[in-house]
Amino acid sequence: MIPILLNISLTILALAMLACLYRLIQGPTRSDRIAALDTIGINLLAVVAVLSMRQKTEDYFEIVLVIGILTFIGTTALARYIERDTVMEHGGDKLDR
Amino acid sequence: MSLIGELLIVILVLLGALFCGLGAFGLVRLPDVYLRSHAATKSATLGVLCVLTGAFLFFYFYIDIVSIKLLLAIVFVFITSPVAGHLNGRSAYRSGVPLWKGSVQDDLKPVLEKNETKENDSQYK
């Protein structure tokens, strides 16, 4: 029962990532593309969890953690870049004044 | 006991995958950045939480592993995914992405305008 279910879940998640890919290519604004990238990352995390269940190994959990952290940091950096045209403000300018 | 655990895992994982699919459907079909972000963030968070909880129960029931890493991933996704959606929506509003023409309420606009006039007044005094 469980292997069939895992295959069905993988299919649904792959279709969801395809839909996000459509929005990533099509999206009218940059924010649409960022939202699509964020959703692709989150779905990838679910795919890795399902794969680890399917292969009955716990070695993939580090990958789950790293994908979660990288998705959050990437979305934050891209949103900051859109909002104020830089990712990090230059702190050295204050010292020069 | 085994049957109940299996049924629980099946329901959790399938429900999570369906929620992820629903979020992606909303991401394609909704008309606006803000509505799309709403659909994607909420349903993807809930779906991934269901899938990860199902994986945690699977490893607990069948391989006798209590995975702290998976618990950490669940807590991390639960905290950071809504924050990322909120940051994306705020940056979209501040960079001037227009609302959908059918939107009826915009609570942020008067607040931002008031702040701007206050800044201008303090600049000229």
Side-chain angles (χ1 to χ4, degrees), chain B residues 20-85:
Chain B
C20 283
L22 209 62
F25 184 70
L27 195 68
V28 170
R29 284 293 294 167
L30 286 175
D32 191 3
V33 182
Y34 310 101
L35 300 175
R36 275 176 210 143
S37 168
H38 152 83
T41 304
K42 280 176 189 159
S43 63
T45 308
L46 188 59
V48 170
L49 281 190
C50 283
V51 171
L52 288 182
T53 312
F56 179 76
L57 287 180
F58 179 84
F59 283 99
Y60 180 64
F61 279 136
Y62 287 101
I63 317 185
D64 276 340
I65 293 173
V66 179
S67 166
I68 303 297
K69 278 176 236 162
L70 213 48
L71 279 183
L72 194 62
I74 290 173
V75 172
F76 190 79
V77 169
F78 187 61
I79 291 174
T80 58
S81 180
V83 172

Side-chain angles (χ1 to χ4, degrees), chain A residues 1 5 9 12-13 16 19 23 29 31-32 35 39 42-43 45 49 52-53 57-58 61-62 69 72 76 79 83, chain B residues 6 10 13-14 17 20 24 27-28 33 36 40 48 52 55 58-59 65 67 69 73 76 80 87-88 91-92 94-95:
Chain A
M1 186 172 173
L5 158 94
S9 302
I12 296 175
L13 286 170
R23 179 53 70 199
T29 65
S31 301
D32 284 316
T39 313
I42 294 274
N43 284 344
L45 205 136
S52 78
M53 273 172 12
T57 169
E58 73 265 33
F61 292 163
E62 287 96 351
I69 294 169
F72 176 63
T76 311
E83 192 173 342
Chain B
E6 190 169 343
V10 164
V13 174
L14 200 58
C20 283
L27 195 68
V28 170
V33 182
R36 275 176 210 143
V48 170
L52 288 182
F58 179 84
F59 283 99
I65 293 173
S67 166
K69 278 176 236 162
F76 190 79
T80 58
L87 283 177
N88 188 18
S91 76
R94 289 215 173 152
S95 65

Side-chain angles (χ1 to χ4, degrees), chain A residues 7-67:
Chain A
N7 285 339
I8 294 174
S9 302
L10 273 182
T11 312
I12 296 175
L13 286 170
L15 288 179
M17 285 172 74
L18 264 183
C20 295
L21 191 67
Y22 166 77
R23 179 53 70 199
L24 179 67
I25 296 170
Q26 180 73 30
T29 65
R30 290 182 290 177
S31 301
D32 284 316
R33 298 197 167 103
I34 295 176
L37 261 184
D38 188 46
T39 313
I40 283 181
I42 294 274
N43 284 344
L44 194 64
L45 205 136
V47 166
V48 173
V50 173
L51 271 184
S52 78
M53 273 172 12
R54 206 171 159 225
Q55 301 182 1
K56 290 191 171 63
T57 169
E58 73 265 33
D59 297 336
Y60 289 160
F61 292 163
E62 287 96 351
I63 304 178
V64 171
L65 265 177
V66 169
I67 288 177

